[in-house]
Amino acid sequence: MKTAKIRPGQPGRQFENNIFGVNAEITRRGFFGGLLAQMLNNRKLFSGEASPAGWECEGFEYVKDRPEESLCRSNFVVLKSGSMKQTSEVIATEKGRRYEAKVWVKALSENAAVEFGLEGRERRFVVPEDGEKYKAQAFSFDGEDVDNGTFVIKAEGNVAVYEASLMPEDDFYGMRRDVIEALRYAGPTSVRFPGGCAADHFDWHESLKAPEFRQPVGAREKAWFLFRNTYDQDCIDVGLNEFIMLCRELGAEPEFTVSLISSDGEDARKLVEYCNGDANTEYGAIRESLGFGPFGIKYWFIGNEAYFFGFEYRDDGALAAKRTNELVHAMKKADPSIVPILGLTWGANLHQWNHDFVRTIDFEQEYVSFHDYIGILPDPSQGENGMATAEMVEDLFLDGESYGLNFYKNDLYKDNYSNIRVCADEWNYTWGKDSSNTLFLSNALQFHFLAKSGDKYHIERAEFFMPVNEGMISVRGNDCKVESTGELFRLMAGHRDGMIAECDADTADVDVLCTSHTGEDGKEKLYLSVVNRRAEPCRIEVEGCRILSVAQIKTGVYSFTDNDYEVIGPEKAEAAEAAETRVGGHSVSFMVLER
């Protein structure tokens, strides 16, 4: 077994607590099938051709040309003594919990009735033909242990079905409490919403309405990656107000992304006024009328990857900058204290786009965005399907260098980088992947890099992309599990409020991060995290320090498919062990030390 000797140095600069942020994008299984308590997909019947996607229908008409008749300007179904049902692994209930089933319907014939609910436990309601636009019918029931359940709607006579819902009664503003608790356990310091590309499809005005009245949004041009688990659409079940309540529940700072494509200056001004204005402003008064005080959102992302998905802005960095100028000047009229974060990229074929963008910005540039999916290779020939291999992950950041940030520092802002701060607002091995032991190692090495790059690259904020069902927390049916990267965030929190200390190791096979803290007894305590890059376990010797406690996230088979790991400790170290401990292959150890 190899031995790595580690020598902690003296404390230097402050550890950046704000690198513990997360990017909660409304995408894939992050919300539906993840954070959302809602169990019914395409519940507003928006998506589909001959019939609503995800529903099996009999004796029906699918109406797509009269959105004004719907509650939320969507499509709807007319059941003619017919039925519709949906079966899904997301439809999962538990014994001992209460649930609510609900439909929004309208009678189109005399003596109409609707029967709905979980298959075998439906309830019947008479629907009077009274000229009202809709009737909301609902009932509560005790859950049973059901996985992959079926929700059924049956009609007697002709009944228009506009929407349906199935949720636990203990939901938190439409979100799952167990997923929120898992997020709280991981401990994010900030949450970015509505994320990245989803921001171009999020209508904040629509999101202020009651959920049943919010018009669904589509994203067919991004169907291959954005809303692919919800039939290319989203029902906006989590709106702006719900997002703020989530942040408050987590004790996390809210961050918001303004669309460069769908917003103009006046709309962006109104948005900031709604979020941060006092009750004497037009939109601050609207917020107050809904029962909310000022949100106080400080950090605002201006656009997201316009250089990829920005339509007319995609090929014209100067044009994107002009729209950015318009948005920022208008937003600052509502709140001069906000901090805009500019949407840049390091892509080798987009350097000129960035130069045109930066040259055209007409206000002081402070924060810039940095997206870093280190598993995605710029040249697909370098790895299978253009993804970095497991062997490549082992050598991440060995030299402490970043190609993308070097472009920012040495080229794009070479004359004034001292004034620039970086927000790594999307980082992960990649997007759309479940947790695995290789992704965990990648995330551990990248987290260390972000933490140690303050002096060199000015990284002051970061948001992991994304926490639910893409590396940090896994949700399947009734199950919610904190994964290894969630445990990594929890244990890395020992570095918070510390001063980063120089720390040398006599081998590059381990990557170390050390922070200095003053204990309640006035003595200096060190917090040390050690990432073992290699498969062979490694003995750690820390010079000049006494180990007070040790914890470890120990992984099993190193691959992109295996996900076996265990969290060991924290355990108190025996005095006889002096400064010696072991860290498993591709694992991370956390130590509390005393000089």
Side-chain angles (χ1 to χ4, degrees):
M1 181 184 297
K2 291 183 179 179
T3 298
K5 294 184 178 180
I6 297 174
R7 296 172 293 277
Q10 295 304 307
R13 64 176 179 82
Q14 182 73 38
F15 177 86
E16 296 291 350
N17 292 345
N18 291 319
I19 66 173
F20 285 88
V22 296
N23 188 326
E25 181 168 20
I26 304 172
T27 184
R28 291 179 293 280
R29 292 180 295 117
F31 277 61
F32 181 77
L35 179 62
L36 280 182
Q38 180 59 245
M39 299 181 199
L40 298 182
N41 204 344
N42 194 19
R43 72 181 192 89
K44 295 182 178 180
L45 314 176
F46 180 69
S47 182
E49 294 301 327
S51 63
W55 295 87
E56 298 178 38
C57 303
E58 295 182 359
F60 74 102
E61 176 188 359
Y62 189 36
V63 181
K64 302 175 65 177
D65 59 352
R66 303 200 303 273
E68 69 281 357
E69 294 183 28
S70 169
L71 281 70
C72 59
R73 290 170 289 153
S74 181
N75 304 325
F76 60 94
V77 168
V78 175
L79 294 179
K80 301 176 179 180
S81 296
S83 66
M84 53 193 298
K85 65 179 181 179
Q86 181 176 130
T87 301
S88 167
E89 64 179 11
V90 178
I91 300 176
T93 60
E94 292 180 285
K95 190 173 183 178
R97 298 183 69 190
R98 294 278 293 175
Y99 297 84
E100 182 188 58
K102 192 170 187 178
V103 294
W104 289 261
V105 296
K106 179 180 180 178
L108 301 180
S109 65
E110 294 182 358
N111 303 316
V114 64
E115 186 176 309
F116 65 96
L118 281 180
E119 191 169 50
R121 305 189 65 190
E122 304 95 324
R123 292 195 190 176
R124 182 179 180 275
F125 294 82
V126 173
V127 185
E129 189 183 19
D130 55 8
E132 295 291 330
K133 185 172 183 179
Y134 69 90
K135 290 288 184 182
Q137 306 285 7
F139 68 92
S140 298
F141 62 97
D142 292 321
E144 298 290 342
D145 291 332
V146 173
D147 293 313
N148 205 42
T150 298
F151 187 87
V152 178
I153 306 173
K154 302 175 184 177
E156 299 173 19
N158 294 343
V159 176
V161 179
Y162 299 123
E163 302 180 27
S165 173
L166 178 64
M167 290 203 299
E169 285 191 335
D170 64 350
D171 69 284
F172 180 81
Y173 291 89
M175 292 170 277
R176 286 177 56 153
R177 290 187 178 273
D178 57 345
V179 179
I180 292 174
E181 287 305 312
L183 283 167
R184 193 200 315 276
Y185 176 84
T189 52
S190 62
V191 181
R192 182 188 179 205
F193 179 87
C197 293
D200 294 328
H201 306 275
F202 182 85
D203 186 334
W204 69 272
H205 297 276
E206 201 74 20
S207 84
L208 305 184
K209 301 176 181 177
E212 61 267 29
F213 296 113
R214 299 172 189 172
Q215 184 180 28
V217 294
R220 296 191 184 281
E221 72 280 7
K222 300 175 185 175
W224 60 281
F225 76 97
L226 192 56
F227 297 150
R228 65 188 184 197
N229 295 94
T230 53
Y231 306 107
D232 311 333
Q233 52 91 37
D234 182 74
C235 290
I236 319 183
D237 279 315
V238 172
L240 179 52
N241 297 331
E242 290 91 347
F243 159 63
I244 293 298
M245 297 310 293
L246 171 65
C247 289
R248 291 176 179 175
E249 187 74 1
L250 295 175
E253 182 178 16
E255 303 168 331
F256 199 87
T257 307
V258 178
S259 173
L260 204 69
I261 298 169
S262 59
S263 293
D264 59 17
E266 181 60 11
D267 183 68
R269 183 197 66 78
K270 292 175 181 177
L271 170 60
V272 174
E273 184 175 283
Y274 178 84
C275 292
N276 296 356
D278 61 37
N280 295 320
T281 63
E282 179 185 1
Y283 278 83
I286 294 173
R287 184 201 62 241
E288 296 283 334
S289 72
L290 295 174
F292 299 97
F295 297 158
I297 301 179
K298 180 178 181 180
Y299 292 95
W300 295 79
F301 296 87
I302 313 301
N304 184 83
E305 297 185 353
Y307 39 82
F308 288 151
F309 306 106
F311 297 96
E312 69 268 33
Y313 305 118
R314 182 177 57 195
D315 300 317
D316 194 335
L319 188 63
K322 290 177 182 178
R323 172 50 67 94
T324 299
N325 294 337
E326 176 192 349
L327 295 177
V328 171
H329 289 309
M331 293 165 70
K332 282 183 171 286
K333 288 181 180 178
D335 183 353
S337 70
I338 66 168
V339 177
I341 301 176
L342 305 184
L344 302 179
T345 181
W346 55 266
N349 61 331
L350 290 166
H351 284 188
Q352 189 58 51
W353 189 98
N354 286 272
H355 278 290
D356 293 342
F357 181 93
V358 168
R359 185 179 60 251
T360 310
I361 292 295
D362 66 0
F363 55 87
E364 183 177 353
Q365 300 173 51
E366 180 182 4
Y367 265 98
V368 297
S369 171
F370 181 66
H371 293 185
D372 200 21
Y373 297 107
I374 50 82
I376 302 176
L377 301 174
D379 180 1
S381 67
Q382 297 180 50
E384 184 179 358
N385 298 320
M387 302 300 295
T389 65
E391 291 75 18
M392 292 178 183
V393 169
E394 291 179 318
D395 293 331
L396 283 176
F397 305 113
L398 264 174
D399 56 3
E401 297 286 325
S402 164
Y403 171 86
L405 290 172
N406 281 335
F407 166 67
Y408 282 13
K409 180 178 181 179
N410 302 324
D411 187 337
L412 187 61
Y413 288 104
K414 65 180 180 180
D415 296 326
N416 65 328
Y417 197 71
S418 60
N419 300 321
I420 296 299
R421 305 176 187 181
V422 174
C423 179
D425 54 290
E426 290 189 20
W427 72 271
N428 195 340
Y429 174 82
T430 185
W431 48 265
K433 295 283 188 180
D434 288 326
S435 177
S436 74
N437 293 335
T438 304
L439 265 68
F440 165 72
L441 178 65
S442 170
N443 292 333
L445 290 169
Q446 192 163 12
F447 194 102
H448 267 200
F449 170 78
L450 295 172
K452 294 187 290 185
S453 294
D455 285 338
K456 185 172 185 176
Y457 292 123
H458 306 173
I459 297 176
E460 295 192 7
R461 302 183 70 82
E463 289 80 13
F464 176 81
F465 190 97
M466 59 173 289
V468 182
N469 281 330
E470 296 194 9
M472 186 177 287
I473 298 165
S474 292
V475 180
R476 297 291 186 277
N478 289 315
D479 296 325
C480 175
K481 177 187 177 184
V482 176
E483 297 289 0
S484 50
T485 294
E487 297 288 359
L488 176 75
F489 262 58
R490 179 180 69 89
L491 288 168
M492 283 288 186
H495 289 296
R496 290 186 188 177
D497 300 318
M499 306 294 290
I500 293 182
E502 292 296 325
C503 198
D504 297 323
D506 64 357
T507 174
D509 288 342
V510 298
D511 197 271
V512 296
L513 172 64
C514 183
T515 49
S516 173
H517 309 255
T518 301
E520 294 181 358
D521 56 5
K523 294 182 179 180
E524 181 191 28
K525 302 291 193 303
L526 299 177
Y527 194 75
L528 184 72
S529 51
V530 182
V531 184
N532 185 358
R533 298 174 176 273
R534 311 304 174 193
E536 181 184 355
C538 184
R539 178 182 290 110
I540 304 296
E541 294 181 1
V542 186
E543 294 185 355
C545 295
R546 182 168 68 94
I547 297 178
L548 302 180
S549 67
V550 178
Q552 185 173 175
I553 304 174
K554 187 175 182 181
T555 63
V557 178
Y558 182 62
S559 76
F560 287 109
T561 55
D562 289 274
N563 190 39
D564 54 327
Y565 66 91
E566 60 178 327
V567 180
I568 303 170
E571 299 172 344
K572 292 183 178 180
E574 298 295 331
E577 290 183 346
E580 177 181 302
T581 188
R582 293 172 178 80
V583 56
H586 302 125
S587 300
V588 185
S589 184
F590 305 85
M591 307 178 199
V592 178
L593 312 169
E594 186 177 73
R595 290 189 194 267

